[in-house]
Amino acid sequence: MPDAIPSSTPLLHEDQLDYTPLPRSVTLARHRTVRLVDEWGYAALADDVALVVSELMTNALLHGSLRGRLIRLRILTTAPTLRVEVSDPRGELRPTLRAVTGDQQFGRGLLLVQALADDWGVGPRVGVGKTVWAQWSLGLTPVAASGAGRHRGAPSTRPSDRTPVTPTPVTAPGDGVPVGHRVG
């Protein structure tokens, strides 16, 4: 999929908000995302989109923030796509997937993004910095010419290109008590 929504594709919904690079901003962005995605009629995607926003905002906070510079969250829909974009001022630090072992605390965020979104990527931000984006196919098709400008929604029937992932419990060393879940 392309890095940017083609300019000829009309936006159905768009929201953009700048956040200060503070931990509380991740929570605020996640809650706003759930509310907007639900209001726009995509409640079935709201939890996945919110988790991806949380991961991308956290990455921007930890790896892309600079004192006095904001982190931008943009959420938009077109007929075929719901897309989130998180922009930060550190263009030289581009996120990449990495292999992690079971005992590493960090490094799984982009694996979650890859598992939950239909596509994701990173590109330069207009001005200074980078934009990391994720998007989902909405399975929408345009209505015939008589209903110009309207769209009919239908769940996507395309086969998933991802293998379902079943989380397995992770136990703390020595005590056998589940403390979380590990994908894999």
Side-chain angles (χ1 to χ4, degrees), residues 53-98:
V53 163
S54 183
E55 291 298 331
L56 296 181
M57 287 289 293
T58 299
N59 282 351
L61 175 67
L62 294 175
H63 309 293
S65 62
L66 292 172
R67 183 183 305 268
R69 299 293 305 271
L70 301 174
I71 298 169
R72 173 168 292 164
L73 170 62
R74 181 175 180 230
I75 309 167
L76 59 101
T77 63
T78 62
T81 305
L82 185 149
R83 179 178 175 113
V84 296
E85 301 173 349
V86 175
S87 300
D88 66 57
R90 300 285 305 268
E92 75 279 9
L93 297 176
R94 297 172 67 89
T96 58
L97 288 172
R98 62 182 186 182

Side-chain angles (χ1 to χ4, degrees), residues 15 32 39 45 49 60 90 92 97 104 115-116 158 180 183:
D15 182 78
R32 182 179 183 85
E39 285 176 7
L45 288 175
V49 176
R90 300 285 305 268
E92 75 279 9
L97 288 172
Q104 289 179 312
L116 295 173
R158 67 179 173 79
V183 176

Side-chain angles (χ1 to χ4, degrees), residues 4-18:
I5 299 290
S7 59
S8 62
T9 304
L11 297 179
L12 300 177
H13 302 99
E14 182 178 22
D15 182 78
Q16 178 175 293
L17 192 61
D18 292 337

Side-chain angles (χ1 to χ4, degrees), residues 2-4 83 85-95 120-134:
D3 287 343
R83 179 178 175 113
E85 301 173 349
V86 175
S87 300
D88 66 57
R90 300 285 305 268
E92 75 279 9
L93 297 176
R94 297 172 67 89
W120 75 277
V122 61
R125 179 182 190 179
V126 175
V128 175
K130 68 178 172 299
T131 297
V132 183
W133 55 268

Side-chain angles (χ1 to χ4, degrees), residues 5 26 37 52 56 76 103 107 111 125 141-142 146 150 176-177 183:
I5 299 290
V26 175
V37 171
V52 167
L56 296 181
L76 59 101
D103 59 349
L111 294 172
R125 179 182 190 179
T141 55
S146 63
R150 294 182 22 220
V177 178
V183 176

